[in-house]
Amino acid sequence: MTTLSEKAAAFLELHRPGDPVILPTVWDAWSARLVEQAGFAGVTVGSHPLADSLGRSDGEGMSFAEALGRVREITAAVQIPVSLDIESGYGLEPKQLVDGLIEAGVVGLNIEDTVHSEGGRLREAQEHADFVGALRRSADDAGVHLVVNARTDLFLRGIGADADRLDRAVARLRLAAEAGADVLYPVGFHDPETLRRLCDELPLPVNAVAFPEEGDRGALAAAGVARVSFGPFLQRALTGTATELLERWR
């Protein structure tokens, strides 16, 4: 039987710049099984679609306990690696987060720098790196190398001047890399030149977000991306299709 530690190591090896692993973003056991049956190597559990499925709002409108309750159902339903978006940590200590993830059978996490429990402030760059470092140490102490995907919301939220935003994002994510991140996530939709620069200038594999109905794996690979997820957009696309079907019966 594959141990959680072995599964985490195998998950990390999937992240290859220029040959990105596609990790469709799911929200329950049904959607995770759908992805596994389609032949994908892993899944991400997104906070936005997960919160929607629970009748909660994104931005830590659900609790960590609620998220873990659903993710346990997912890890029990599929054999492929599961990574969970833990938003900004729900106001919990890193050890609490890591212990909960490991108990639930999760092998990776996203951690963002918007602190929802404190009015949506952005963590300072070193503060975010320190949180990443504490997550890494807690995982190492537990004997499971959780794949830490360190995210910054500088682009998503349009924080600061446009002229130096890329440089600030790179500096911020480099600190996270030094602290023990495995993957870096400058979340947002970037033009090809910006994405290529991010992949060139960042020292670790880069996660990009894509629309499942429009994204181009080849273009993302050419830019140097190592990981692709869908955020809330797979659920949103399926919602559109379901709405069309239901309209026929109104």
Side-chain angles (χ1 to χ4, degrees):
M1 178 181 294
T2 302
T3 67
L4 197 65
S5 182
E6 290 169 338
K7 185 176 282 190
F11 183 56
L12 180 58
E13 289 178 2
L14 296 174
H15 296 73
R16 297 184 291 267
D19 182 21
V21 60
I22 311 301
L23 301 174
T25 306
V26 303
W27 53 92
D28 61 7
W30 170 80
S31 55
R33 279 179 173 163
L34 192 69
V35 168
E36 183 177 54
Q37 290 166 3
F40 289 89
V43 295
T44 55
V45 182
S47 66
H48 195 154
L50 178 54
D52 279 350
S53 76
L54 292 170
R56 303 285 191 268
S57 60
D58 192 26
E60 299 188 4
M62 63 185 167
S63 68
F64 186 51
E66 287 176 314
L68 287 182
R70 176 56 57 80
V71 85
R72 287 188 195 97
E73 298 170 359
I74 294 171
T75 57
V78 299
Q79 296 300 311
I80 56 178
V82 175
S83 180
L84 176 64
D85 177 359
I86 61 170
E87 306 195 65
S88 57
Y90 302 94
L92 301 176
E93 292 299 317
K95 185 178 186 305
Q96 292 175 277
L97 296 166
V98 167
D99 287 349
L101 293 170
I102 291 174
E103 183 274 331
V106 171
V107 297
L109 65 94
N110 282 16
I111 182 70
E112 60 196 58
D113 53 5
T114 295
V115 187
H116 302 287
S117 61
E118 298 178 23
R121 74 173 181 88
L122 195 76
R123 285 191 179 109
E124 295 298 327
Q126 188 60 57
E127 179 189 10
H128 188 49
D130 289 344
F131 200 89
V132 168
L135 289 166
R136 166 57 59 227
R137 289 190 296 275
S138 295
D140 288 348
D141 289 345
V144 178
H145 188 95
L146 293 178
V147 177
V148 176
N149 188 19
R151 167 176 147 171
T152 182
D153 289 348
L154 282 179
F155 292 101
L156 183 68
R157 296 176 57 188
I159 293 174
D162 293 346
D164 68 344
R165 188 173 297 128
L166 188 147
D167 292 336
R168 287 184 287 112
V170 167
R172 176 174 287 259
L173 291 174
R174 281 178 175 166
L175 287 175
E178 292 169 5
D182 299 291
V183 187
L184 303 174
Y185 191 12
V187 64
F189 290 95
H190 308 292
D191 63 74
E193 181 182 354
T194 298
L195 186 57
R196 192 173 298 108
R197 279 193 60 192
L198 286 166
C199 292
D200 286 345
E201 296 183 23
L202 288 171
L204 292 174
V206 171
N207 188 161
V209 64
F211 292 113
E213 69 273 34
E214 299 176 7
D216 184 337
R217 186 185 187 279
L220 294 171
V225 168
R227 166 174 170 161
V228 179
S229 52
F230 294 151
F233 301 113
L234 177 58
Q235 188 186 61
R236 189 171 298 178
L238 294 178
T239 299
T241 299
T243 299
E244 291 177 6
L245 292 173
L246 293 170
E247 284 290 335
R248 296 184 63 245
W249 296 93
R250 279 182 52 183

